[in-house]
Amino acid sequence: MPATTEEPSEAVASLLWPCVRDGAGAQGQPLSDEAAHDLQLAPLFDALSRDAPWLRPWYATPCTDVEVVAYRQQIATELEREEVAAPLATFARRLQRVRQREEAVQRVTYPYVAAAWFLAAAQRYLHATTELLEELEALTLESPGLRGCRSALRSIVTGDRFRDLATATGAAQEAMEGVVYTVRVQTDRVTVDRDHGEADLTAEVAATFARFRTGPPRPVDRPPVEPGVDHVAARILELVAGQHPEAFAALTELHQHHQPLLDPTVAALAREVPFYLAYHERLQRIRAAGLPLCLPELVDQDAPCGAEDSYDLAVALKQLADGNPVVPNDWHLDPPERVLVVTGANQGGKTTFARAFGQLHHLASLGLPVPARRARVGLHDRVLTHFERQERITTLRGKLQDELVRVHALLEEATPGTVAVLNETFSSTTLQDARELGSAVLQRIAALGARAVFVTFVDELTAVGPATVSMVATVAPDDPTVRTFRVVRRPPDGLAHAVALAERYGLTDEAIRQRSTS
Amino acid sequence: MNVHLLHPDRDLDLEVVLPQHAGTVSDDLGLEVLLDRMAEGDERVRTACRTVLLAGLEDARAVRYRQAVVADVLRAPEVFAGLYEVIVAGLELAKRSYSGLFRDAPDALVRRAVERLQVSTDVLRRLRQDSAPVRSDLRSEGVTRLFELFATQLDEPYLREVEAQLEELTFPRGVLFAARLGRGAVGTGFELKRPRPQGWLSRSLDRSGASFELADRDDEGIESLGRLRDQALAEVAVVLSQASDDIEVFLRQLRDELAVLTGVARLHAALTAKGEPTCLPEVVSAPTPKLTARGLYDPALSLQLAEQVVGNDLDADDALLVLITGANQGGKSTLLRSIGTAQLLLQAGLFVPAATFVGSVGGQIYTHFGREEDEQLRRGKLEEELDRMRTIVDRIRPGDLLLANESFAATNEREGSELARQVFRAHLDLGIRVVVVTHLYDLAESLYRTESARGVFLRAQREEDGERTFRIEPGAPLPTSYGQDLYRRIFGESPSGTAAAEDPSQGARRAPHPQGGA
């Protein structure tokens, strides 16, 4: 059912950008490799763009424009429908092969071979594009992005250029199909000829031995045809061409007069589809495990924000693969709150919590589903991270210096629109240094108005000012040695945890004394 | 082309799953002795004969078909043995052309298939030539049809044509093929052609062809030509491999069926050489089992003795129960085995160890042989016996035959008799034929009283002087066995000095049963 109220058919369509082709002015600062590593998004993005390297910068670059993100969110929503996603996935895969073929053709030095591969690529391209349009026409689409693409596709497919290509391709194909030739291979001599109707030797042999046959004939397992071309094959083809000039004229015509093969809009579409589908595919295991995913509500940067059942996507993928449970957490920041300060049990999920915070913001800014049940976030212009490094800096002084240099750089770069993730910053220095330096850094961040998560062992940093919120990685109430990986909003435990552990092992002051006096 | 020597409508299947109890039957009847004689060291003959003996035929028609073939084989055993040797040698030769590799290039496949076919063709010619002289002397449907097949399907003109084609497939004039242009102008749809008979010279003069030659040491070009050859030969390679497989399947089938017949002829020769009678039994189709024999003996026993064995006469038409009692070592077990072996051979469509034999085709044959000598293991043995019997009861069906030799002798007479009585009566009531050898007087006497209507009662005889005659004649069970005979012979005096009991069954009777089955 072709819609009549769609965009003008000449519209330049993109699945990433509603109006502007290149997204100029709507993009923030790309996630640095370091930050992508710290947030554990790097392995995810690497996996997503393994066969599609052009996706990598798209995944790295946040959008700062609510309109763009909303445009993408609508597309992402619509692509949740299998009947919408499937034809686009097929199309993207086919076009990928066309592009590879096209590139391969460029490297072929034998003109007839190049032309023949061009013909094959043209057939794939025509088929993939026409079929996609047909399938999209049968769907009711809601998102402006997909409607615009369908509309653009329609005008391309019905346009002169596409039709001429189809005609020339058909003519060349028909001509090629009509060519029958014979080859005689002797020791080192090859003779190419037209078919003179010599008897089919295989059929003769089959007939001779038919009387011994009691079952059905065995299927022929042919050796695979090598797509590569060597000089012998090329030479044979030249001789064949010489004996079938008309057929090869049609082929040459196609190759010479229909370049470049791909319509740029179609090519762009094929590249953009995997941005959504690769991500969707990658998250299949998450969905299957029943973990929530959502498209976040977009609010202003200084508005209240938060997430329910937020979790670290990288850890979740690994935990699910290992058969372990994933523990999600809630957080919220109500102005003037800007910074989550996380303390609590060692190995209790603090780092994971901090990463989830950063991941959620970055993925939200891409317009893709985020790992949470519900989320409300403001867009950011950059994500900055500071994680403890395992460099070979052996002196405390050297290590602290390095940390300070990096934190300084972070603060220099930070803007009010920044999302910062600081993990165990100053954790290897003295408590006094950590308290003082941490406090200073937190105040700088608070003053900027940037949103941040700050993981520390220093309880006092949880109450630096109205901008900080205390979050605690908890242990089981009845057994302090059991970590729950739950990070909850409450004042720091202080020494409670240590006391509980001591009691459990009979190492409290009282217990030790009793023992020694008994 | 089908062999169908041993079955009117199908090939002998050596892969047939023998009944689970076949091994026991074989052991209890001493079939290995017969198989040794049949095989004469040829394991293939042994295996084939074993299968044929233990997998009985389904009905009288199938039995008569095979009997006729066996009769032909016994008329000209040297011809059949000769055919068997020719095939065995040919298949052995062909095996040398097999490859150890799982997958091979078509070029190599063709070469090997041609070699195998050349060997097979020689064998096929020998089949026709060697069978021709006796063709007119033989009468059975199976042999006549097969030898007719040799004469008409493997005639000289046909075999010459095969040889000419095999010569063509060594490609003395090079490999000629037609092809079309597939995707990327790569050759496809390869069709192997037979070059014009006038040879390459005239063809090369044809101006429509164009040739080129590979440069010296153009290894890449030679590889390329090899690939082309493989493409061109892929189909014919399969056709040829299949043809050679087909012919070898036929030859192997013929070899296996001839192996059986060769074994049968050898066994016949061995028995005849000893002067033992054999006959092809008359097979009667009737609602009740038929069993009338003259001079019935145990061939396994005979083959192990230098002298001829004593045959027995048996009139057990329509009897469901045959109960054999009498003197120890008086030939009871031998008679039981004779009956079982004869029935097995009858159902296998072979000759039987008797001067005359009238019988009917029944179902499966089961054996339950007790081993009373195993006194020390008495208790465990009873349980083992009961277990074996339960297994039989689980499987045995109306129409089957149970041969019971001293069943339940492992316990005391009262207990053993009661167990056996229950079991045998149930079998009889189910319409299962039971042949019982027992020294359990309680059992024998009660069966004699209650089952006379459907039973035949036989007794191992002794002369007045106590010498056993090994002849078994109709007779009612006696309350004592002839252990004292043995005792006397071995000790030179009777135990406790008493005289042997008088025989109350002089003039023993055949159990009366309703005349004409009314």
Side-chain angles (χ1 to χ4, degrees), chain A residues 325-337:
Chain A
V326 174
V327 180
N329 286 298
D330 301 345
W331 59 267
H332 63 93
L333 289 169
D334 295 325
E337 298 164 359

Side-chain angles (χ1 to χ4, degrees), chain B residues 433-486:
Chain B
R433 197 143 58 125
V434 183
V435 180
V436 179
V437 165
T438 187
H439 73 276
L440 297 172
Y441 177 70
D442 186 22
L443 168 68
E445 190 273 335
S446 62
L447 289 176
Y448 183 70
R449 266 191 289 109
T450 60
E451 305 300 332
S452 57
R454 49 184 177 181
V456 169
F457 298 85
L458 304 173
R459 206 173 68 221
Q461 302 298 319
R462 54 163 195 171
E463 300 296 337
E464 289 303 319
D465 61 2
E467 277 296 309
R468 277 165 298 279
T469 64
F470 299 111
R471 286 197 75 85
I472 295 184
E473 313 237 312
L478 291 179
T480 178
S481 185
Y482 292 86
Q484 38 188 303
D485 290 348
L486 277 177

Side-chain angles (χ1 to χ4, degrees), chain B residues 183-455:
Chain B
R183 192 175 280 273
V186 173
T188 185
F190 287 84
E191 184 184 305
L192 187 66
K193 297 263 198 179
R194 182 157 49 80
R196 289 268 160 73
Q198 59 265 46
W200 61 273
L201 189 61
S202 66
R203 194 182 157 92
S204 70
L205 293 172
D206 185 341
R207 280 200 209 111
S208 66
S211 295
F212 62 92
E213 280 181 19
L214 294 188
D216 284 347
R217 288 190 223 94
D218 180 0
D219 292 340
E220 197 193 329
I222 288 168
E223 259 179 53
S224 173
L225 284 188
R227 282 199 296 274
L228 273 182
R229 270 175 74 100
D230 282 344
Q231 290 289 345
L233 296 177
E235 194 180 353
V236 83
V238 171
V239 168
L240 279 173
S241 306
Q242 186 169 24
S244 51
D245 286 355
D246 285 347
I247 293 179
E248 284 167 30
V249 162
F250 172 77
L251 290 177
R252 274 196 291 273
Q253 185 63 39
L254 182 56
R255 175 196 65 189
D256 289 346
E257 303 204 6
L258 286 172
V260 172
L261 294 171
T262 301
V264 169
R266 285 176 185 158
L267 179 62
H268 185 264
L271 292 171
T272 307
K274 273 199 70 181
E276 300 284 15
T278 61
C279 70
L280 285 170
E282 183 184 336
V283 180
V284 180
S285 303
T288 49
K290 302 293 173 189
L291 178 52
T292 299
R294 295 290 170 267
L296 176 65
Y297 63 96
D298 176 1
L301 178 62
S302 172
L303 290 173
Q304 292 175 97
L305 298 175
E307 65 272 25
Q308 280 175 252
V309 293
V310 178
N312 276 293
D313 298 344
L314 194 60
D315 292 284
D317 279 357
D318 308 316
L320 269 183
L321 171 68
V322 176
L323 184 75
I324 307 167
T325 57
N328 275 340
Q329 296 193 359
K332 291 177 299 192
S333 295
T334 300
L335 178 59
L336 184 74
R337 275 194 273 268
S338 304
I339 294 172
T341 304
Q343 188 64 31
L344 207 61
L345 288 165
L346 178 148
Q347 295 190 170
L350 309 180
F351 60 79
V352 298
T356 67
F357 195 101
V358 181
S360 50
V361 177
Q364 296 282 322
I365 297 174
Y366 291 83
T367 52
H368 186 264
F369 282 29
R371 285 149 188 106
E372 56 186 317
E373 64 276 12
D374 222 356
E375 286 295 328
Q376 286 179 330
L377 298 169
R378 176 169 267 207
R379 204 55 226 174
K381 202 170 158 285
L382 179 66
E383 279 154 29
E384 183 265 338
E385 271 198 68
L386 287 166
D387 193 53
R388 275 193 287 133
M389 187 60 89
R390 185 181 57 199
T391 309
I392 291 172
V393 170
D394 284 346
R395 302 207 186 105
I396 201 164
R397 295 286 172 269
D400 288 349
L401 170 63
L402 173 62
L403 305 172
N405 192 10
E406 301 288 11
S407 292
F408 308 122
T411 180
N412 64 61
E413 177 161 350
R414 271 183 66 99
E415 193 176 62
S417 295
E418 182 55 23
L419 286 169
R421 200 154 36 230
Q422 307 257 354
V423 169
F424 295 148
R425 286 217 176 109
H427 277 81
L428 295 171
D429 289 347
L430 283 169
I432 293 162
R433 197 143 58 125
V434 183
V435 180
V436 179
V437 165
T438 187
H439 73 276
L440 297 172
Y441 177 70
D442 186 22
L443 168 68
E445 190 273 335
S446 62
L447 289 176
Y448 183 70
R449 266 191 289 109
T450 60
E451 305 300 332
S452 57
R454 49 184 177 181

Side-chain angles (χ1 to χ4, degrees), chain A residues 415-487:
Chain A
T415 61
T418 290
V419 167
V421 179
L422 296 98
N423 189 31
E424 306 280 8
T425 302
F426 309 129
S427 63
S428 46
T429 185
T430 63
L431 174 61
Q432 188 184 346
D433 279 352
R435 189 164 52 213
E436 286 171 4
L437 296 173
S439 176
V441 169
L442 281 171
Q443 275 165 356
R444 292 274 302 267
I445 292 171
L448 261 179
R451 287 150 292 168
V453 59
F454 192 101
V455 177
T456 180
F457 70 103
V458 183
D459 285 355
E460 290 88 331
L461 293 182
T462 61
V464 163
T468 55
V469 174
S470 173
M471 302 282 294
V472 180
T474 59
V475 290
D478 53 343
D479 183 352
T481 59
V482 173
R483 288 166 274 129
T484 63
F485 301 102
R486 295 210 76 88
V487 178

Side-chain angles (χ1 to χ4, degrees), chain A residues 203-222:
Chain A
E204 287 187 352
V205 171
T208 298
F209 293 105
R211 62 186 64 185
F212 296 101
R213 191 87 284 273
T214 48
R218 193 178 296 170
V220 176
D221 184 13
R222 293 176 186 284

Side-chain angles (χ1 to χ4, degrees), chain A residues 268-283:
Chain A
L269 184 62
R271 285 165 169 270
E272 289 171 351
V273 164
F275 176 75
Y276 298 93
L277 294 185
Y279 185 74
H280 183 84
E281 176 71 25
R282 193 74 189 172
L283 267 48

